[in-house]
């Protein structure tokens, strides 16, 4: 549906230095799916989105929607933004004051090039207001709405034109945490119900994991990994992705041996010998980092309880943080600290010995990026 190939977008900054904000960005989004560009501030997410919208003119690449080229450097095609028929919602969406909710949503139809009858407008507006759950407040003053309602109104306004593609740039970042979480669910439901192809931009990894069919993680203008949310989380392809998406422990080590039968590698690490299952490209002697999610560190409060487990280590409780639904243990092992996220029923006090084990299948071998 949307096909972005080899997109390069550059700026010239105040000192006349060329900034390559999007570098060789390529991805495809099937019709009806939600695709997320995720990455830290300044990695080129907005640039990529604005390039798709036609608000930036890339220096290279092509953008096609439903087989129609809207940008191509090769054929010198550039369809202006208003003719691309995309809907957009930005971080700082503006609700038009002195207008009702209804009027805010109907305005794009009234001023558009295509003329609609009063009845058509009424129908279209009420349909989108119902979709975002604002039909019952259609007559109210838009500025009297709560943050979450204004956010949904901004979305309704983008949807009313029945865009071929919906472009959302950090649309929830101005909302408080509780509302953001609620809107996350609503956005997901709405996107699935309306089956509208959506590009979503965020620096919030939880939002990306919760909403997306597919995620592209960006760094320095480039896509560094593209996969389904679960695979991004469970099988990150670099330290950068493992670290940016969720929290993780990195344990440095050297590959001692590759087991032919199990496919596991045996690693000599700072905390001891550890068997790792996810290590496709590793050779004996390689220096690697093992990524280990805190929730995959199984804590045992006695030596006996750890028996029969694989990859068992003994450490000392260095610190303990109660987080309500979970308990974080910082465990010292050979001068290294390992974070374990466990059920709050665990009791071992600070300073006492503790054991933990890790399933080789939960260990990911990554190229070490020593700095
Ligand atoms: N109008 C601009 N002029 C010059 N540099 C820009 C401009 N807009 C963005 N940049 C630079 O391009 C890079 C990518 O920015 P942006 O796409 O806004 O990142 P993100 O949305 O991921 O935070 C950054 O280094 C930023 O400083
Ligand atoms: Mg941005």
């Amino acid at each position: 549906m949307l096909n972005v190939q080899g997109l390069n977008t550059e700026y010239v900054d105040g000192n006349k230095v060329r900034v390559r904000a999007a570098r060789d960005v390529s991805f495809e989004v099937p019709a009806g799916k939600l695709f997320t560009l995720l990455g830290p501030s300044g990695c080129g997410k907005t640039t990529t989105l604005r390039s798709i919208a036609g608000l930036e003119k890339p220096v290279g690449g092509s953008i096609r929607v439903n087989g129609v080229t809207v940008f191509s450097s090769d054929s010198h095609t550039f369809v202006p933004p208003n003719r691309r028929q995309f809907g957009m919602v930005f971080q700082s969406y503006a609700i038009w004051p002195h207008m009702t909710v209804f009027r805010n949503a109907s305005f794009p139809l009234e001023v558009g090039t295509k003329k609609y009858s009063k009845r058509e407008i009424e129908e279209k507006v009420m349909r989108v207001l119902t979709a975002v759950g604002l039909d019952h407040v259609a007559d109210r003053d838009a500025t009297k709405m709560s943050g979450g309602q204004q956010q949904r109104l901004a979305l309704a306004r983008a949807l009313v034109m029945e865009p071929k593609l919906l472009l959302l740039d950090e649309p929830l970042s101005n909302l408080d945490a509780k509302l953001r979480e609620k809107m996350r669910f609503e956005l997901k439901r709405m996107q699935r119900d309306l089956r509208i192809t959506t590009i979503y931009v965020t620096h919030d990894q939880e939002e990306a994991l919760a909403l997306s069919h597919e995620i592209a993680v960006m760094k320095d203008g480039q896509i560094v990994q593209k996969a389904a949310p679960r695979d991004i989380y469970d099988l990150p392809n670099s330290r950068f992705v493992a670290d940016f998406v969720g929290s993780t422990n990195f344990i440095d080590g050297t590959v001692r041996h590759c087991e032919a039968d199990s496919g596991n590698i045996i690693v000599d690490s700072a905390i001891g010998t550890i068997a790792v299952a996810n290590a496709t490209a590793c050779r004996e002697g390689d220096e690697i980092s093992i990524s280990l999610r805190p929730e995959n560190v199984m804590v045992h409060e006695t030596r006996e309880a750890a028996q029969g487990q694989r990859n068992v280590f003994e450490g000392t409780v260095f610190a303990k943080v109660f987080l309500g639904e979970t308990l974080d243990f910082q465990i010292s092992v050979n001068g290294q600290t390992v974070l374990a996220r466990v059920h709050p029923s665990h009791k071992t006090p600070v300073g006492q010995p503790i054991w933990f084990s890790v399933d080789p299948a939960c260990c990911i071998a990554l190229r070490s990026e020593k700095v």
Side-chain angles (χ1 to χ4, degrees):
M1 196 275 166
L2 170 69
N3 181 297
V4 176
Q5 275 307 319
L7 187 78
N8 282 285
T9 305
E10 301 182 349
Y11 300 106
V12 178
D13 74 5
N15 302 322
K16 300 232 159 60
V17 175
R18 205 163 59 117
V19 180
R20 297 182 62 200
R23 296 195 287 155
D24 204 21
V25 170
S26 300
F27 60 89
E28 264 189 21
V29 186
K33 300 294 183 195
L34 189 147
F35 183 89
T36 295
L37 298 168
L38 170 69
S41 172
C43 72
K45 307 179 294 293
T46 295
T47 302
T48 304
L49 202 72
R50 288 174 59 87
S51 302
I52 296 169
L55 300 171
E56 302 293 344
K57 194 168 182 179
V59 292
S62 69
I63 302 167
R64 283 184 298 138
V65 179
N66 291 333
V68 176
T69 301
V70 294
F71 172 77
S72 165
S73 51
D74 285 349
S75 65
H76 304 286
T77 309
F78 182 84
V79 175
N82 58 336
R83 296 209 5 245
R84 294 190 188 189
Q85 296 171 313
F86 302 159
M88 289 196 78
V89 179
F90 296 99
Q91 184 174 347
S92 50
Y93 50 89
I95 294 302
W96 290 306
H98 319 301
M99 282 192 199
T100 61
V101 167
F102 184 94
R103 195 76 208 293
N104 258 275
S106 70
F107 201 66
L109 293 172
E110 291 167 29
V111 300
T113 42
K114 206 166 161 200
K115 293 287 165 249
Y116 297 97
S117 73
K118 213 169 163 227
R119 232 196 71 218
E120 278 175 310
I121 291 181
E122 167 95 25
E123 258 176 35
K124 282 177 187 292
V125 170
M126 287 318 288
R127 196 180 323 136
V128 291
L129 288 182
T130 306
V132 301
L134 290 178
D135 46 323
H136 63 294
V137 291
D139 296 330
R140 295 225 197 121
D141 181 350
T143 46
K144 299 263 159 62
M145 301 285 109
S146 69
Q149 287 173 319
Q150 291 197 4
Q151 171 50 254
R152 282 184 277 162
L153 180 52
L155 205 55
R157 211 166 46 185
L159 289 172
V160 78
M161 299 301 285
E162 292 165 31
K164 290 184 198 150
L165 191 62
L166 184 60
L167 307 174
L168 304 175
D169 192 351
E170 314 239 7
L172 306 185
S173 58
N174 281 342
L175 307 177
D176 63 53
K178 260 250 143 59
L179 193 54
R180 209 158 52 220
E181 214 166 294
K182 183 163 167 258
M183 280 303 296
R184 219 186 267 163
F185 279 108
E186 295 200 11
L187 250 181
K188 182 164 179 162
R189 176 188 55 76
M190 212 176 331
Q191 193 274 331
R192 297 328 193 238
D193 285 356
L194 301 173
R195 290 199 190 83
I196 181 158
T197 314
T198 305
I199 314 297
Y200 195 90
V201 159
T202 184
H203 68 276
D204 182 327
Q205 39 110 4
E206 271 187 26
E207 216 167 276
L209 293 172
L211 281 170
S212 319
H213 291 101
E214 197 175 27
I215 297 173
V217 181
M218 290 185 77
K219 180 191 180 194
D220 301 336
Q222 287 179 302
I223 292 179
V224 292
Q225 187 170 8
K226 201 165 37 184
R230 201 158 251 291
D231 290 338
I232 290 279
Y233 190 81
D234 289 342
L235 296 169
N237 67 0
S238 61
R239 273 186 70 124
F240 175 78
V241 175
D243 199 26
F244 188 74
V245 182
S247 47
T248 199
N249 295 288
F250 287 120
I251 296 159
D252 291 331
T254 310
V255 180
R256 189 210 302 161
H257 176 60
C258 302
E259 286 182 353
D261 49 345
S262 68
N264 288 355
I265 59 167
I266 307 301
V267 181
D268 289 324
S269 80
I271 65 167
T273 303
I274 181 163
V276 175
N278 303 286
T280 38
C282 289
R283 301 233 168 93
E284 282 170 27
D286 280 357
E287 306 237 327
I288 60 163
S289 278
I290 301 165
S291 166
L292 186 55
R293 299 283 185 201
E295 70 272 23
N296 292 329
V297 178
M298 297 300 150
V299 164
H300 313 282
E301 297 191 278
T302 59
R303 190 187 297 276
E304 293 71 52
Q307 261 167 21
Q309 303 292 325
R310 294 209 59 184
N311 290 332
V312 177
F313 305 94
E314 181 178 347
T316 311
V317 179
F318 175 70
K320 222 167 122 175
V321 183
F322 175 60
L323 295 165
E325 51 206 282
T326 58
L327 183 67
D328 278 2
F329 273 116
Q330 280 182 9
I331 304 172
S332 296
V333 209
N334 288 345
Q336 203 70 45
T337 308
V338 172
L339 178 69
R341 184 154 296 161
V342 299
H343 192 271
S345 59
H346 287 74
K347 294 280 186 284
T348 311
V350 172
Q352 292 300 305
I354 198 162
W355 291 263
F356 65 90
S357 62
V358 288
D359 184 342
C362 296
C363 301
I364 320 277
L366 300 169
R367 202 148 39 91
S368 86
E369 292 166 27
K370 290 226 177 91
V371 277

